[in-house]
Amino acid sequence: KGILAMKTQERRQAWQQHIAASEVSDLSGAAFCKQYDLNYGQFNYWRKKLQQTTPVEPSAGFARVTARSGAQSSLNDELGLHLPSGIRLSGVNAGNLDVVLALLRQL
């Protein structure tokens, strides 16, 4: 179903996904909307609205880090993130760190 037919929460989540994807693309907002057939005015509206509800500075905290037994460290090693919300990200490495950070900013 189209974005306009969705409930408010579904619409919010859909726009969060579109905006997160646009931030990791090499396209301008207008080009991204044109490529994915999105309304650029709505894109800007939701981008501004979602930025207002996102805290400027996330609260600092601690994370439990565990190593696999017998694992040896190497520059090519990948990490897996398991967030308290239940979201899991795997395959995190130096080559895709920018994408992972952009995704985490949207959560």
Side-chain angles (χ1 to χ4, degrees), residues 4 16-17 34-36 48-50 52 58 65-66 68 70 85 88-89 94 99 107:
L4 294 177
Q16 282 175 326
Q17 291 173 352
K34 185 174 183 176
Q35 181 172 338
Y36 293 99
K48 184 176 180 180
K49 183 175 181 81
L50 294 169
Q52 291 173 350
V65 177
T66 56
R68 294 182 187 161
S85 63
R88 294 174 179 248
L89 299 173
V99 173
L107 299 177

Side-chain angles (χ1 to χ4, degrees), residues 44-91:
N44 285 324
Y45 167 83
W46 280 101
R47 183 168 49 185
K48 184 176 180 180
K49 183 175 181 81
L50 294 169
Q51 285 174 347
Q52 291 173 350
T53 60
T54 304
V56 175
E57 288 188 37
S59 59
F62 292 94
R64 181 177 20 173
V65 177
T66 56
R68 294 182 187 161
S69 60
Q72 292 182 332
S73 178
S74 124
L75 291 177
N76 295 324
D77 284 348
E78 294 183 343
L79 297 174
L81 301 175
H82 305 270
L83 305 176
S85 63
I87 295 173
R88 294 174 179 248
L89 299 173
S90 60

